[in-house]
Amino acid sequence: SRPIAALNEDRVARAVAHYYETKSPDQKFMYSAHYSTPEHVLYFLLRQYPLEALHVGSGRFDSANRIFRSIAAAWRSVNIDDTDVKELIPEFFDGDGSFLENRRHIALGTTVDGKVLGDVELPLWADDAQDFVRKNREALESRAVSKKLHMWIDLVFGSKQRGVPAELARNVFHPLCYEVEPSPDLSPADQRAIEAQVCECGQIPRQLFVQDHPARKHV
């Protein structure tokens, strides 16, 4: 299993090259941003929580060309764009799919090709938003996926989150993404700057396991 940022061979090659060519410890990373940040979560939840998205976006929505508008476009972006390492949020696998629908009729703008944004465009195999979520959940709970779920746990919460195992797994993020004890020598201004950086770039969860997580047993 790989982190979402390492799905594209060309992109991960550039990330690894940057990591090994960089000498400065505070700039030694493969990915500059984390896979889950407030901005990333609200990217997906914009239609459901527009006020929160406006707060994170300094009082305005992003350009229509960058707003979450289709599943296909989001998939292409996370496979190609060096700065896009977003993981899916739980709503993709649970609930009624309402976060994909513009039920509030929010004015989200018009793209450069003249498309007025409304509901998120779904794959052809989904009948509607609720069916899309239901089929995602069926896939997540399938034997093919569940038998490899422990590998994802290792990357996010476990043995491949830090250190040499993380390097080998191509799973190294910006140093500020990792939870560390704050230095008593930091000034209040520096502390606020670090907190702002963490809010913007995200933070790695606390490491729960140091040994590889066992695979799920099917009975």
Side-chain angles (χ1 to χ4, degrees), residues 99-139:
F99 76 101
L100 298 165
E101 299 173 337
N102 190 14
R103 296 182 179 183
R104 300 169 183 259
H105 305 290
I106 304 165
L108 299 175
T110 304
T111 62
V112 291
D113 56 1
K115 182 174 182 57
V116 178
L117 297 189
D119 296 344
V120 175
E121 296 178 9
L122 302 173
L124 295 177
W125 47 260
D127 296 334
D128 52 34
Q130 188 169 5
D131 182 60
F132 173 76
V133 171
R134 180 181 62 81
K135 288 176 178 174
N136 279 348
R137 181 162 185 161
E138 288 176 353

Side-chain angles (χ1 to χ4, degrees), residues 1 135-152 215-218:
S1 183
K135 288 176 178 174
N136 279 348
R137 181 162 185 161
E138 288 176 353
L140 180 65
E141 296 176 345
S142 69
R143 182 179 293 267
V145 173
S146 63
K147 73 179 183 181
K148 295 184 178 181
L149 194 57
H150 63 289
M151 299 179 185
W152 179 83
R216 178 179 179 181
K217 294 182 179 179
H218 290 276

